[in-house]
Amino acid sequence: MPSPLMDLTPSAALGAVEGNTAHAKPLRTELFRSPIIPFLYERILPPIWALGLRNLGGIDTEFRLVTDFFGQSLAIVADISCGTGIMARRLALSGRYKHIIALDYSESMLAQLQQQARLDGISPSQITIIRADVEALPLASNSIDAIYAGAAMHCWKDALEGIRNIYRVLLPGGKLFATTFLKPFPSIVFRFFSLQELRDIMVAAGFNKDNVQLQARGLYGTIWCIK
Ligand SMILES: C[S@@+](CC[C@H](N)C(=O)[O-])C[C@H]1O[C@@H](n2cnc3c(N)ncnc32)[C@H](O)[C@@H]1O
């Protein structure tokens, strides 16, 4: 049985009110709703990332960095902006955590995640799949042990609002591992950041500056934060 998908976006909750553009999203968010993108994510991008675009070694390296930082025996780990669940599925299959929340704005990416999770033998009791907006995160404050947001912030409409929401839902002592792409990539469709801009966002969202660590590898930025 596939894991069910809950739609908790503001537009689903309020219904599509004609002329209401309060929750309209930019192209950098909307394009992931196209069915072609999940196809690329599962079949084409991982070997390209592994050549060095997403750390040397791609998602394997990222999985090691994430699990080293999170440690063992956490209750709830959320993959926010999980896409097709490349990391969420690995975290679920690792057996290190009691429950995984996989959350994304794109119903197409989540449909691929549902299908793949079933093929991987991940049961609905191991993973909760939610369509939601990181900028209006429908999770309780102080409820999540650790959050992964991989290659995500450059796709959000308002990165500061997204990180504010993440800070709010993390438990005290909770951990955030995030990655994104950096300048001088030009911000035409996506919004790219300098390391200083990323640090400013983390601190403005609530993280103590001493608990924020950043690293650039080429044009790929990695962020470690503890609430
Ligand atoms: C580049 S993909 C990264 C997917 C995955 N985390 C990975 O590591 O491969 C960015 C994801 O962010 C999601 N996204 C964009 N805006 C979002 C928002 N406001 N709330 C939640 N997810 C969002 C997109 O739907 C897309 O799946």
Side-chain angles (χ1 to χ4, degrees):
M1 189 178 75
S3 300
L5 164 62
M6 278 179 271
D7 190 339
L8 301 180
T9 51
S11 51
L14 300 171
V17 180
E18 214 175 313
N20 179 359
T21 55
H23 299 289
K25 292 294 184 194
L27 177 60
R28 62 174 174 267
T29 299
E30 287 292 337
L31 69 86
F32 289 95
R33 299 178 71 191
S34 156
I36 188 80
I37 303 290
F39 179 87
L40 291 174
Y41 255 78
E42 285 303 312
R43 293 164 187 86
I44 295 173
L45 287 176
I48 297 174
W49 291 333
L51 295 175
L53 191 60
R54 277 185 87 163
N55 288 313
L56 203 53
I59 212 72
D60 292 336
T61 303
E62 203 149 302
F63 177 74
R64 253 194 333 273
L65 292 170
V66 169
T67 48
D68 284 354
F69 181 50
F70 288 176
Q72 296 275 5
S73 310
L74 299 181
I76 303 181
V77 172
D79 181 352
I80 292 196
S81 283
C82 64
T84 59
I86 283 175
M87 185 63 74
R89 285 165 8 219
R90 280 188 176 226
L91 293 170
L93 287 169
S94 77
R96 291 166 174 246
Y97 312 111
K98 282 215 178 77
H99 197 77
I100 305 298
I101 293 175
L103 179 151
D104 197 275
Y105 190 73
S106 160
E107 58 280 65
S108 309
M109 299 292 257
L110 293 174
Q112 180 72 47
L113 161 56
Q114 283 179 295
Q115 195 181 325
Q116 204 57 46
R118 192 166 49 84
L119 293 174
D120 290 349
I122 299 169
S123 79
S125 67
Q126 293 171 283
I127 194 163
T128 297
I129 302 176
I130 303 174
R131 178 171 184 241
D133 182 354
V134 66
E135 293 152 49
L137 209 48
L139 300 173
S141 300
N142 304 312
S143 64
I144 309 289
D145 292 274
I147 291 178
Y148 169 75
M153 290 173 68
H154 54 282
C155 307
W156 301 346
K157 181 176 175 183
D158 183 341
L160 173 57
E161 197 51 34
I163 297 295
R164 268 200 192 110
N165 272 269
I166 284 178
Y167 181 83
R168 175 182 63 75
V169 304
L170 276 174
L171 282 159
K175 295 174 176 175
L176 167 64
F177 184 104
T179 64
T180 189
F181 292 98
L182 304 173
K183 290 174 176 170
F185 267 146
S187 295
I188 297 168
V189 173
F190 299 103
R191 180 197 166 183
F192 298 113
F193 306 88
S194 66
L195 283 188
Q196 187 58 49
E197 284 168 336
L198 289 173
R199 184 179 297 282
D200 291 347
I201 287 172
M202 297 300 152
V203 172
F207 290 102
N208 184 306
K209 67 176 175 22
D210 297 330
N211 291 336
V212 176
Q213 206 187 317
L214 296 107
Q215 187 180 71
R217 273 181 204 275
L219 295 176
Y220 197 55
T222 303
I223 307 157
W224 295 258
C225 298
I226 302 178
K227 180 171 174 180

